[in-house]
Structure formats: structure tokens, C-alpha cells
Amino acid sequence: MNLIHINDIINIMHHFCLTQSISDIINVTCNTQPTRAEYYTYLSQLFSKKTPLFDDQIDAFKLVSNKKLTDEYNLPLSYPSPLTFTFDHVS
């Protein structure tokens, strides 16, 4: 799953609005991408919900690299993995 935390999106947009004018394509996504099973298992444990069942079949997915964002533009992410996302606003 190709995900990114909203705070990282805001920080990246803020950075480029203030510092650079770019005409480049940049993938804005986390450094690591868990499988659907890993991510939804993480969420179910975080919110004390029943863990979903997944087929043993591996889902095909496309990994998107943020290498240009982190290496060329030197923009670190506050949440490098969806498995580090916090949900303080959810009760």
C-alpha cells in the first residue's frame, strides 16, 4: 500500500511553496510500504478491533519510490512508515 501521513504532505507542500519552484514529478509516499494485511492488522491492534482475515494469496501491488523526495530534495518524513502513523484525533 502506498500511503503517506497528512502531516508529511503538509510539510512537503509548505517546503516547496516557500523554497523552490519545481517542474518535476515527485512521488510523495512513505519510505516503506506494508502489505494490506500488515497495515490493517496494525490498525486493528491499534484500535482494539478484530483482526481482519486475508487470503493467503499475495496481492499484486506497485511499489512507488520516494527516493527523489528524500535524496535529491533532502526532505525527511515525520512518519516514514504507515506502521508509525498515529491517530490522536480519533476517539
Side-chain angles (χ1 to χ4, degrees):
M1 297 184 65
N2 296 298
L3 302 168
I4 187 158
H5 197 278
I6 186 68
N7 291 351
D8 284 324
I9 294 171
I10 292 167
N11 290 336
I12 291 164
M13 290 179 66
H14 183 256
H15 171 81
F16 284 118
C17 285
L18 291 179
T19 62
Q20 300 179 32
S21 175
I22 61 168
S23 60
D24 205 357
I25 296 174
I26 301 171
N27 295 319
V28 179
T29 187
C30 286
N31 298 343
T32 60
Q33 302 299 333
T35 64
R36 283 181 8 159
E38 290 168 332
Y39 183 64
Y40 288 114
T41 298
Y42 165 73
L43 290 178
S44 66
Q45 292 170 350
L46 187 66
F47 293 110
S48 301
K49 301 293 183 185
K50 183 178 174 185
T51 302
L53 299 176
F54 293 90
D55 291 338
D56 290 336
Q57 174 185 353
I58 303 285
D59 289 331
F61 61 95
K62 178 180 177 182
L63 287 178
V64 176
S65 172
N66 70 355
K67 190 168 180 62
K68 187 182 290 187
L69 177 72
T70 58
D71 292 356
E72 289 182 33
Y73 292 100
N74 197 30
L75 289 172
L77 300 176
S78 298
Y79 299 89
S81 167
L83 302 181
T84 62
F85 287 4
T86 57
F87 301 90
D88 299 331
H89 61 285
V90 179
S91 51

